[in-house]
Amino acid sequence: MSGGRSHKDEPQPANAAAAAELRSNARRLAPGARLLIASHNSGKLTEMRGLLAPYRIDAISAGEMGLSEPAETGTTFRDNARLKAEVAAKATGLPAFADDSGLAIDALDGAPGIHSARWAGPERNFDHAIEVVENKLRERGATAPERRRAHFISALCIAWPDGHVEEFEGRVDGTLIWPPRGAKGFGYDPMFVPDGYDRTFAEMTGEEKHGLPPRGTGLSHRARAFLKLAEACLGRP
């Protein structure tokens, strides 16, 4: 029988003691443990390996294990992250770590959402996807900053071969700009300015975007989800 817990932004536990109990009951990975990253996205792999590095986890990728990408048939980010992690764990006999993330735009009724990668087409051309987003915003008259509100969401899942799972979610809010700026990120990063900043994700260094305390602020959606995962399943670096 499968089991596990979800650690989402909403709803929050009623008090700090309840939150601490939820974290303490999570299944943990020991330093040196081998963990499969169930992703073929080079940008995500780089970020996820960077996040795991301080915890001395032996991370290997799905590509290195010769795994193909499963069809993402879920209706939420959480569904798809869990699907990818569970398929990889069962195929390899290793704990597997998966992410499903994307951009949700208020003026587009939450699109592209779980279809964020699909908007880039089979070639994963995000320059094209960014143009599609801009064209759709203009079609709806969303040219003023207050009409261009959006957020990135990241759902993370660790699945074990015995069916146990631990799930986490993070979100960052911001505004979409045009024209896009920066070349350091990937995906929709060049058009997304997080709240409280004047630069896009693609204009930030990796440390600025997803660096963890004490050197970073855990700014990105993936870093925010990972901070919850690390506290629950990894302990201190």
Side-chain angles (χ1 to χ4, degrees):
M1 181 181 294
S2 65
R5 298 167 189 81
S6 175
H7 309 253
K8 300 176 69 177
D9 285 333
E10 297 290 343
Q12 293 290 346
N15 54 53
E21 182 179 0
L22 186 66
R23 292 190 297 269
S24 66
N25 289 333
R27 186 178 290 189
R28 303 177 76 81
L29 289 168
R34 203 169 205 206
L35 181 66
L36 176 73
I37 302 177
S39 177
H40 292 74
N41 181 306
S42 60
K44 287 185 180 181
L45 281 169
T46 299
E47 283 195 8
M48 293 163 82
R49 278 187 158 135
L51 290 167
L52 287 165
Y55 297 89
R56 303 183 300 283
I57 297 296
D58 180 14
I60 57 173
S61 73
E64 290 170 325
M65 295 293 288
L67 299 182
S68 59
E69 292 185 86
E72 296 182 8
T73 56
T75 59
T76 66
F77 293 112
R78 177 184 170 188
D79 288 345
N80 285 328
R82 183 169 186 161
L83 183 155
K84 289 184 281 190
E86 288 183 330
V87 167
K90 290 174 183 177
T92 62
L94 294 170
F97 174 36
D99 158 276
D100 197 59
S101 56
L103 179 69
I105 303 169
D106 294 352
L108 301 184
D109 305 315
I114 61 170
H115 304 299
S116 294
R118 296 181 196 175
W119 282 27
E123 301 301 321
R124 299 201 175 186
N125 183 346
F126 278 94
D127 289 338
H128 170 71
I130 287 171
E131 290 181 359
V132 170
V133 165
E134 181 61 23
N135 289 337
K136 288 181 178 293
L137 287 172
R138 291 184 181 185
E139 287 172 3
R140 297 200 178 189
T143 56
E146 61 271 17
R147 295 287 313 281
R148 299 171 68 90
R149 297 291 296 164
H151 54 273
F152 275 119
I153 296 174
S154 173
L156 301 181
C157 179
I158 300 180
W160 280 261
D162 67 358
H164 184 87
V165 299
E166 297 286 350
E167 298 173 296
F168 309 85
E169 191 171 289
R171 164 177 168 155
V172 60
D173 297 303
T175 301
L176 301 180
I177 58 126
W178 190 263
R181 303 194 309 255
K184 295 176 183 174
F186 65 97
Y188 298 92
D189 285 359
M191 70 183 315
F192 184 84
V193 178
D195 287 350
Y197 294 80
D198 58 8
R199 289 178 296 153
T200 69
F201 268 168
E203 293 177 297
M204 296 180 181
T205 65
E207 192 69 40
E208 289 175 302
K209 180 185 173 186
H210 55 79
L212 301 180
R215 291 186 300 172
T217 61
L219 173 61
S220 76
H221 49 306
R222 193 166 296 110
R224 292 178 178 187
F226 185 83
L227 283 170
K228 299 176 186 178
L229 180 154
E231 186 174 6
C233 298
L234 300 178
R236 295 184 180 277

